């Protein structure tokens, strides 16, 4: 008869032996879809005439080698008020560019893409943005009261329905952080939007420190794009191997030829302001 110690040893051996089995995870492959990156962003105080639209195809979940850039498409944007059309020339690498775009606040534009015998369209309005009036640092507003945070101050216009996209990127970081806001409960007031970086030792992420420089961009966005980005930013944290796969977020691009073969991405037109801040000893 085996002793308790021998039984425990046998159980441990069985557990570790089972860990050597290969786990074959079946990932369903959806159809390839057109991915549209059509962000026509007009920095306040500039002409805004140079704009780029990027087209690619979606790739399988674990495929990191496929070149998915789309070439050979016809891409054009039309101002629906005066019917002025801007053709975006194929650059041969998935980018389509114009140097003659004319942004007009409050006017609607349509996007038209011809690709693989199908026509994709979208419509959006060029949305303005207010100015940033102050940027400063503090520690008391964030989740970690010992960590530095940056504050962006601006006055929301009196008109209701203003929506914002904020982009924060510290020098040296690979990707920016995105946040969205609306004026439903703060319409017409001076607003103080703060942002901090939470420490994550596993991913080697550190909070702001004196000497760090952060670039800040604030965009005026439509209500529809706010709803789209609110869902998208909630999924940007990524998923683990056995967590629920994020829901595919449909944008505003419609396939007029074959509605079932819809595109990913969004056609947006925004005005934005940009500034930067350097943290100091406090």
């Amino acid at each position: 008869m085996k002793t308790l110690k021998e039984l425990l040893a046998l159980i441990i051996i069985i557990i570790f032996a089972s860990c050597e089995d290969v786990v074959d995870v079946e990932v369903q492959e959806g159809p390839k879809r057109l991915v549209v990156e059509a962000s026509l962003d007009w920095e306040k105080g500039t002409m805004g005439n140079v704009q780029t639209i990027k087209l690619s195809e979606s790739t399988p979940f674990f495929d990191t080698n496929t070149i998915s850039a789309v070439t050979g498409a016809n891409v054009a944007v039309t101002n629906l008020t005066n019917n002025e059309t801007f053709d975006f020339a194929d650059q041969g690498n998935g980018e389509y560019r114009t140097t003659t775009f004319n942004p007009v606040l409050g006017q609607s534009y349509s996007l038209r893409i011809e690709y693989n015998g199908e026509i994709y369209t979208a419509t959006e309005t060029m949305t303005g943005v207010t100015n940033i009036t102050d940027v400063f640092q503090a520690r008391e507003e964030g989740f970690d009261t010992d960590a530095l945070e940056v504050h962006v101050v601006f006055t929301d216009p009196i008109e209701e329905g203003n929506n914002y996209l904020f982009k924060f990127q510290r020098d040296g970081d690979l990707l920016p952080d995105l946040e969205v806001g609306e004026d439903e409960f703060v319409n017409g007031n001076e607003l103080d939007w703060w942002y901090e970086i939470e420490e994550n030792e596993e991913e080697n992420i550190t909070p702001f420190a004196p000497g760090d420089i952060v670039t800040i961009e604030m965009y005026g966005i439509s209500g529809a794009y706010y709803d789209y980005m609110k869902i998208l930013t909630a999924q940007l944290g990524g998923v683990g191997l056995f967590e629920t796969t994020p829901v595919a977020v449909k944008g505003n691009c419609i396939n007029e030829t074959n509605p079932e073969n819809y595109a990913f991405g969004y056609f947006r037109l925004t005005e934005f302001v940009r500034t930067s801040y350097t943290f100091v000893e406090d």
Side-chain angles (χ1 to χ4, degrees):
M1 183 174 179
K2 294 184 182 294
T3 65
L4 178 59
K5 186 178 293 187
E6 289 173 326
L7 287 173
L8 288 174
L10 180 61
I11 291 172
I12 291 172
I13 291 171
I14 293 172
I15 290 174
F16 277 95
S18 65
C19 289
E20 294 178 0
D21 293 339
V22 176
V23 179
D24 187 10
V25 180
E26 183 178 351
V27 179
Q28 290 186 351
E29 247 184 62
K32 283 189 176 182
R33 297 192 184 277
L34 182 66
V35 180
V36 180
E37 297 178 59
S39 299
L40 306 190
D41 300 325
W42 176 23
E43 185 172 4
K44 185 175 284 193
T46 69
M47 294 290 292
N49 57 303
V50 179
Q51 298 289 344
T52 301
I53 291 173
K54 297 179 181 179
L55 301 181
S56 59
E57 284 186 333
S58 59
T59 57
F61 188 77
F62 290 112
D63 189 346
T64 59
N65 297 316
T66 302
I67 298 174
S68 60
V70 165
T71 59
N74 293 319
V75 181
V77 172
T78 300
N79 183 319
L80 297 180
T81 300
N82 57 20
N83 290 321
E84 186 178 13
T85 296
F86 310 95
D87 293 319
F88 285 67
D90 188 350
Q91 305 299 302
N93 60 355
E95 294 186 354
Y96 296 77
R97 185 172 302 156
T98 184
T99 59
T100 62
F101 186 68
N102 181 27
V104 183
L105 293 179
Q107 293 192 359
S108 294
Y109 294 76
S110 66
L111 168 68
R112 189 177 192 273
I113 300 170
E114 294 183 34
Y115 175 62
N116 270 357
E118 298 182 343
I119 297 174
Y120 300 81
T121 62
T123 302
E124 182 66 298
T125 300
M126 173 63 73
T127 306
V129 72
T130 188
N131 289 310
I132 295 173
T133 56
D134 193 19
V135 181
F136 64 92
Q137 69 183 57
R139 293 182 185 269
E140 67 272 8
E141 296 293 337
F143 298 109
D144 182 351
T145 54
D146 293 327
L148 282 169
E149 73 241 2
V150 63
H151 289 247
V152 181
V153 181
F154 60 97
T155 300
D156 179 71
I158 194 64
E159 298 84 5
E160 294 183 358
N162 295 287
N163 303 277
Y164 303 95
L165 169 67
F166 299 89
K167 182 188 291 187
F168 299 92
Q169 184 156 14
R170 176 171 56 182
D171 282 10
D173 288 353
L174 181 62
L175 297 172
D177 278 343
L178 304 176
E179 298 183 353
V180 291
E182 59 178 339
D183 69 353
E184 182 178 1
F185 302 109
V186 292
N187 182 57
N189 291 309
E190 183 179 73
L191 304 180
D192 176 357
W193 191 277
W194 59 265
Y195 167 75
E196 72 174 0
I197 297 178
E198 295 185 61
E199 185 172 15
N200 187 325
E201 293 183 357
E202 292 183 0
E203 299 183 14
N204 198 27
I205 297 174
T206 59
F208 285 125
D212 282 353
I213 301 173
V214 58
T215 298
I216 304 160
E217 294 177 358
M218 182 174 74
Y219 298 75
I221 59 176
S222 66
Y225 187 67
Y226 167 82
D227 293 337
Y228 173 82
M229 285 302 299
K230 191 173 181 180
I231 297 172
L232 196 60
T233 54
Q235 299 184 358
L236 282 179
V239 295
L241 183 59
F242 298 106
E243 295 179 24
T244 304
T245 303
V247 176
V249 185
K250 291 184 183 180
N252 61 347
C253 298
I254 299 170
N255 188 327
E256 301 282 359
T257 309
N258 178 13
E260 295 299 319
N261 186 29
Y262 57 85
F264 291 135
Y266 209 97
F267 173 51
R268 81 179 189 199
L269 296 102
T270 66
E271 184 184 40
F272 75 100
V273 288
R274 188 202 322 256
T275 189
S276 65
Y277 183 80
T278 302
F279 287 89
V280 298
E281 295 284 355
D282 58 352

